[in-house]
C-alpha cells in the first residue's frame, strides 16, 4: 500500500531541506502515541520505504513537491495518513511545510517490470562502511545475489516463515541507469552512501507461489536502508510503440 504526499509552501525552500534523514524524522514524529511509536527503536527491518522527492530542486513559492511512502503493512500507511491529515503540515528540520493533499492507493496488479524511485543501496563491507559500486569492483552477479538474499530474509521475517526459497534469479534482465553518491547529515555528522538507479528490473514469468513475494518487494523496497528512503520501486509501464 502507498501514500502519496503532496507538499506546498508559501515561500521558497532550498532543496537541501528535502533530506532523507529529515523526512524520516518527520515520519517518526507522526507515529508518536500510535501502535508504531517504537518503530524507530527497532533494530531489525522496519518494512517501509519512501521515494525520492519529486520534482527535484528547490520547492518554489506556490509550487508543489511530492513523495510516496510504501509499506506492506496497511495499518502503518493508514495510521500515517490519519495523523498527517489531522496535523496538516510537516517539519523538515526547522522548515514547516504544508501538506497540500494525501492519497492512499494500492497497486492492484502484479508487475513483471520495475524501475527505481530511489537508489538501491547495498553494503559490501560494514566494517569499512563500503557500499556496492560498479566503479569499485561491483558486479551484476553480486548485485543480483545480494538483493535476492536480502529480500528473502525480509520476507521470511515479515511473514514469520521458517522455510522460503527459490532457485531462479530474482530478475531475468535489468538495465542500469546511473550510480549516485548520496550525502546525508545526521546530528551534525556527514555520511556518504553509494546507490544505483535502474531503468528496469524485469522478471519474465512470476509463478503463483512467488506472486506474494514480488508484491512484497514492490511494497517494502529492495536492498538495505529502506526505512531511510532507499530501494523504492515503481511498476514500470510498458508503452506501446
Amino acid at each position: 500500500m502507498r501514500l502519496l504526499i503532496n507538499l506546498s509552501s508559501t515561500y521558497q525552500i532550498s532543496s537541501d531541506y528535502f533530506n532523507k534523514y529529515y523526512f524520516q524524522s518527520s515520519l517518526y514524529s507522526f507515529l508518536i502515541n500510535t501502535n508504531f511509536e517504537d518503530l524507530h527503536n527497532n533494530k531489525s527491518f522496519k518494512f517501509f520505504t519512501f521515494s525520492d522527492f519529486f520534482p527535484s530542486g528547490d520547492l518554489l513559492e506556490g509550487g508543489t513537491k511530492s513523495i510516496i511512502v510504501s509499506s506492506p503493512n496497511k495499518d502503518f500507511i493508514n495510521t500515517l495518513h490519519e495523523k498527517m491529515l489531522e496535523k496538516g503540515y510537516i517539519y523538515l528540520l526547522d522548515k514547516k511545510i504544508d501538506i497540500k493533499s494525501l492519497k492512499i492507493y494500492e497497486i492492484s496488479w502484479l508487475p513483471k517490470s520495475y524501475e527505481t524511485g530511489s537508489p538501491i543501496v547495498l553494503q559490501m563491507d560494514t566494517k569499512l562502511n563500503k557500499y556496492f559500486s560498479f566503479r569499485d569492483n561491483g558486479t551484476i552477479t553480486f548485485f543480483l545475489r545480494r538483493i535476492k538474499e536480502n529480500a528473502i530474509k525480509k520476507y521470511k521475517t515479515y511473514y514469520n516463515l521458517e522455510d522460503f526459497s527459490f532457485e531462479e534469479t530474482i530478475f531475468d534482465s535489468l538495465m542500469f541507469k546511473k550510480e549516485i553518491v548520496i550525502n546525508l547529515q545526521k546530528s551534525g555528522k556527514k555520511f556518504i552512501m553509494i546507490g544505483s538507479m535502474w531503468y528496469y528490473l524485469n522478471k519474465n514469468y512470476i509463478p503463483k507461489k512467488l506472486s506474494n513475494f514480488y508484491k512484497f518487494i514492490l511494497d517494502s523496497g529492495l536492498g538495505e536502508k529502506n526505512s531511510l528512503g532507499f530501494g523504492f520501486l515503481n511498476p514500470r509501464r510498458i508503452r506501446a510503440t
Side-chain angles (χ1 to χ4, degrees), residues 4-8 18 23 51-56 59 64-68 101:
L4 171 62
I5 305 164
N6 294 313
L7 304 172
S8 63
F18 296 93
F23 184 71
S51 68
D52 291 340
F53 284 96
F54 58 94
S56 60
L59 175 57
T64 302
K65 192 178 281 287
S66 303
I67 192 167
I68 303 170
S101 64

Side-chain angles (χ1 to χ4, degrees), residues 3 10 14 20 25 40 48 78 107 124 126 148 169 176 181 201 208 219 222:
L3 176 62
T10 56
S14 168
K20 289 185 177 294
S25 297
H40 68 288
F48 75 87
N78 285 328
I107 296 167
M124 295 186 72
T126 54
K148 178 183 175 181
T169 58
F176 177 71
V181 177
L201 303 157
K208 187 175 181 180
D219 287 336
L222 277 179

Side-chain angles (χ1 to χ4, degrees), residues 7-13 18 59-65 96-98 100:
L7 304 172
S8 63
S9 176
T10 56
Y11 58 95
Q12 183 168 331
I13 300 176
F18 296 93
L59 175 57
L60 302 179
E61 178 183 347
T64 302
K65 192 178 281 287
K96 182 180 177 182
I97 306 174
D98 295 327
K100 184 178 181 180

Side-chain angles (χ1 to χ4, degrees), residues 2-207:
R2 298 182 170 212
L3 176 62
L4 171 62
I5 305 164
N6 294 313
L7 304 172
S8 63
S9 176
T10 56
Y11 58 95
Q12 183 168 331
I13 300 176
S14 168
S15 61
D16 293 339
Y17 282 91
F18 296 93
N19 178 294
K20 289 185 177 294
Y21 270 123
Y22 299 162
F23 184 71
Q24 184 194 58
S25 297
S26 185
L27 283 186
Y28 286 141
S29 73
F30 285 102
L31 302 178
I32 296 172
N33 297 325
T34 74
N35 292 334
F36 301 96
E37 66 178 346
D38 293 327
L39 187 62
H40 68 288
N41 294 321
N42 185 358
K43 301 300 181 183
S44 185
F45 304 118
K46 296 179 175 62
F47 304 111
F48 75 87
T49 189
F50 51 88
S51 68
D52 291 340
F53 284 96
F54 58 94
S56 60
D58 296 347
L59 175 57
L60 302 179
E61 178 183 347
T64 302
K65 192 178 281 287
S66 303
I67 192 167
I68 303 170
V69 182
S70 177
S71 174
N73 190 327
K74 294 183 179 181
D75 288 340
F76 173 83
I77 294 294
N78 285 328
T79 298
L80 200 56
H81 175 265
E82 178 185 340
K83 293 299 181 180
M84 285 188 164
L85 193 63
E86 183 181 292
K87 196 163 192 178
Y89 60 87
I90 70 170
Y91 270 101
L92 296 180
L93 195 58
D94 59 347
K95 297 295 184 183
K96 182 180 177 182
I97 306 174
D98 295 327
I99 296 174
K100 184 178 181 180
S101 64
L102 297 166
K103 180 183 178 182
I104 290 179
Y105 68 101
E106 190 155 11
I107 296 167
S108 58
W109 76 100
L110 180 62
K112 296 179 182 178
S113 185
Y114 309 83
E115 60 186 3
T116 49
S118 67
I120 296 175
V121 168
L122 293 170
Q123 284 192 311
M124 295 186 72
D125 192 321
T126 54
K127 292 181 179 179
L128 296 176
N129 199 34
K130 182 179 179 181
Y131 291 90
F132 172 84
S133 170
F134 286 115
R135 299 179 183 180
D136 191 13
N137 300 317
T139 65
I140 289 289
T141 301
F142 176 88
F143 176 80
L144 289 172
R145 176 172 59 81
R146 280 294 299 275
I147 60 171
K148 178 183 175 181
E149 291 172 350
N150 179 267
I152 287 176
K153 186 176 181 180
K154 285 186 291 189
Y155 184 73
K156 289 171 66 176
T157 301
Y158 185 78
Y159 287 103
N160 195 25
L161 301 174
E162 292 187 5
D163 184 31
F164 175 81
S165 63
F166 56 94
E167 293 297 322
E168 61 262 36
T169 58
I170 189 169
F171 297 114
D172 298 315
S173 60
L174 57 168
M175 179 178 283
F176 177 71
K177 185 176 183 179
K178 60 182 176 179
E179 199 162 87
I180 295 178
V181 177
I182 306 111
N183 295 292
L184 295 173
Q185 187 168 330
K186 182 182 181 182
S187 302
K189 295 182 179 179
K190 292 183 178 181
F191 300 85
I192 293 177
M193 295 181 187
I194 298 174
S196 56
M197 299 289 286
W198 298 82
Y199 284 112
Y200 62 75
L201 303 157
N202 292 342
K203 186 67 177 174
N204 296 333
Y205 170 72
I206 300 175

